[in-house]
Amino acid sequence: MVYETFLKTIQSMVQTRLNKKANVSLRRVLKNNGLMLDGLSFTKPGSRLSPTVYLNAYYNEAEEGMPLSIITDQILMVYETNPGFSEDICEELRDFDAVRSRIAYKLIHAAKNKVLLSHVPHIPYLDLAIVFYLILTDNEEGQMTTLVHSDHLALWDISLEELGILAEKNTPRMLPYHISSIESTLNQLEMEDIVETEALPSVALYVLTNSRGINGAACMLYPRVLKEFAESLGEDLIILPSSIHEVLVLPDEGTRKQRAMQKEMVEEVNESNVSPEERLSNSVYYFDREKQEVTLKGK
């Protein structure tokens, strides 16, 4: 089935099932790294909420032979069990005092997100960009978040500088950093039987992320984290971007051959093991413990 035909057919089938309980429309959403997703947006009469169910994965199921009636059932189940933001949360988004303690930051790739960055406040950082989001709910079921757009700054009457100061204060508090050896991390994920010990690097390798394991690459921005860890090792650091959710950290041995191999490894892992939406960068970063700064080029 042609993709556009699938989208319009599913929209029609879902709308028919819902009748007038909600209006169903097609919506394209720009995600990280320029990824565009197609979804169904649901709007109930008199409501300002429009939760979206993405359709890209369902198209793959249709191509594999799943009947559209069953796909329609699945979409409606997702919609009914995940209604999106409540009206109360929508009201809170307009009240800066109600959300100021929930503002956090994360890292994304700058060049791959030019269109997105034209609509959101951000701070350049090496080949990356610091962007901001609100953690609306955080519980055992997960987080509900929303990206801060330029319209929010106008609504809240605050500057980019004020936004950055709040995020720098809030993010480590809401999402404390966590650093552990790669072996310990694999064991916690019960992957020790999947990844052979011989395949791991011979040097000490550590995973830096946050307590949630979500957008944890931003922990490299936390004050004193890299400084204190470098001092504990007695070495400068190499930082390998594993994904937007974590980075790998290891002592810097300073050889050109080593650095070339590390860059190749990052590129290969990104291409083969990281989904396009979750890739951070193909670069290798260096932390100088004397200068206390991260750069793209080591000594």
Side-chain angles (χ1 to χ4, degrees), residues 50 63 141 162 223:
S50 298
E63 287 290 274
E141 297 180 356
E162 291 174 293

mmCIF file of all heavy atoms in Angstrom, residues 50 63 141 162 223:
data_model
loop_
_atom_site.group_PDB
_atom_site.id
_atom_site.type_symbol
_atom_site.label_atom_id
_atom_site.label_comp_id
_atom_site.label_asym_id
_atom_site.label_seq_id
_atom_site.Cartn_x
_atom_site.Cartn_y
_atom_site.Cartn_z
ATOM 1 N N SER A 50 -4.753 18.150 21.990
ATOM 2 C CA SER A 50 -4.701 17.383 20.745
ATOM 3 C C SER A 50 -3.620 16.308 20.848
ATOM 4 O O SER A 50 -2.544 16.427 20.232
ATOM 5 C CB SER A 50 -4.431 18.303 19.546
ATOM 6 O OG SER A 50 -5.457 19.241 19.373
ATOM 7 N N GLU A 63 2.353 -3.226 6.030
ATOM 8 C CA GLU A 63 3.150 -3.792 4.940
ATOM 9 C C GLU A 63 3.436 -5.274 5.175
ATOM 10 O O GLU A 63 3.619 -6.037 4.228
ATOM 11 C CB GLU A 63 4.470 -3.027 4.801
ATOM 12 C CG GLU A 63 4.331 -1.645 4.208
ATOM 13 C CD GLU A 63 3.972 -1.699 2.731
ATOM 14 O OE1 GLU A 63 4.880 -1.808 1.907
ATOM 15 O OE2 GLU A 63 2.761 -1.655 2.405
ATOM 16 N N GLU A 141 5.569 5.301 35.872
ATOM 17 C CA GLU A 141 5.150 5.030 34.504
ATOM 18 C C GLU A 141 6.003 5.771 33.480
ATOM 19 O O GLU A 141 5.958 5.467 32.293
ATOM 20 C CB GLU A 141 3.681 5.411 34.322
ATOM 21 C CG GLU A 141 2.734 4.571 35.201
ATOM 22 C CD GLU A 141 1.291 4.974 35.011
ATOM 23 O OE1 GLU A 141 1.038 5.955 34.255
ATOM 24 O OE2 GLU A 141 0.412 4.328 35.611
ATOM 25 N N GLU A 162 17.664 33.917 31.513
ATOM 26 C CA GLU A 162 16.915 33.477 32.699
ATOM 27 C C GLU A 162 16.521 32.008 32.576
ATOM 28 O O GLU A 162 16.576 31.251 33.561
ATOM 29 C CB GLU A 162 15.666 34.342 32.869
ATOM 30 C CG GLU A 162 15.953 35.778 33.269
ATOM 31 C CD GLU A 162 14.700 36.630 33.278
ATOM 32 O OE1 GLU A 162 14.137 36.868 32.184
ATOM 33 O OE2 GLU A 162 14.277 37.057 34.369
ATOM 34 N N PRO A 223 27.733 21.180 36.587
ATOM 35 C CA PRO A 223 28.916 21.749 37.241
ATOM 36 C C PRO A 223 29.672 20.702 38.065
ATOM 37 O O PRO A 223 29.062 19.921 38.799
ATOM 38 C CB PRO A 223 28.317 22.836 38.156
ATOM 39 C CG PRO A 223 26.995 23.171 37.539
ATOM 40 C CD PRO A 223 26.488 21.890 36.938
#
